[in-house]
Amino acid sequence: MLLHVFEMRYRLLVQNAVTDHGGRFGMMGSSLEDGTAMSDYGTECEIVSCLELPDGRFRLEVEGRSTFKIIDSNLRDGYWEATVENIDPHPAVGDDDENRGGQDGEDTDGAEVRILAERVTQVFDEWESHVREN
């Protein structure tokens, strides 16, 4: 995904990601249509290309690396910082699997992740369409 970072808080996020976190940061959507609540899940992104412009803005290319669930979060420099738990996209199926829900044996966390992944793909496709049109 290509990003144009211009807000001061996200400029700080990029600087912190590059200097303190190996060029990685988390990205999550909002859990409500009006954008007032943060989602419980996100994607770890890695900066694969970074161009800092003379006025301090950034042009980034990022790639998604893994998914996570937010355990705890707090506001830092205007953006959210979180303690996360990585999600295995292909959990092993076992007789003693704690995350098994429902009578049909469906993995509840896995089902949530699949639904979230489908929604993220849909939103991304809509966003990409708008970007290409404009």
Side-chain angles (χ1 to χ4, degrees):
M1 176 183 296
L2 300 174
L3 301 174
H4 176 191
V5 179
F6 56 90
E7 286 186 60
M8 187 57 69
R9 61 185 171 165
Y10 296 124
R11 292 180 193 187
L12 292 170
L13 179 143
V14 170
Q15 292 168 347
N16 289 334
V18 170
T19 59
D20 299 335
H21 302 287
R24 293 177 182 248
F25 63 95
M27 186 182 286
M28 60 282 228
S30 103
S31 59
L32 298 176
E33 291 297 320
D34 64 1
T36 59
M38 187 171 52
S39 174
D40 293 333
Y41 296 90
T43 301
E44 179 188 30
C45 296
E46 180 178 6
I47 299 170
V48 295
S49 174
C50 179
L51 173 64
E52 184 172 4
L53 302 172
D55 64 0
R57 292 176 297 142
F58 290 95
R59 289 191 181 152
L60 303 179
E61 180 179 355
V62 300
E63 290 183 1
R65 297 294 182 210
S66 61
T67 54
F68 59 81
K69 181 175 183 174
I70 296 173
I71 305 302
D72 187 34
S73 62
N74 62 314
L75 209 50
R76 172 187 177 183
D77 296 328
Y79 62 86
W80 288 99
E81 184 174 72
T83 302
V84 300
E85 176 182 299
N86 287 328
I87 297 174
D88 181 355
H90 306 288
V93 178
D95 295 335
D96 59 350
D97 190 349
E98 294 177 5
N99 293 326
R100 309 291 288 172
Q103 295 175 339
D104 61 356
E106 176 67 24
D107 178 344
T108 327
D109 286 340
E112 285 183 45
V113 171
R114 281 189 292 282
I115 291 167
L116 180 62
E118 289 170 10
R119 178 69 180 131
V120 167
T121 300
Q122 177 187 13
V123 170
F124 176 79
D125 289 343
E126 291 171 10
W127 171 83
E128 186 176 36
S129 172
H130 290 297
V131 168
R132 290 185 189 282
E133 289 171 7
N134 295 310

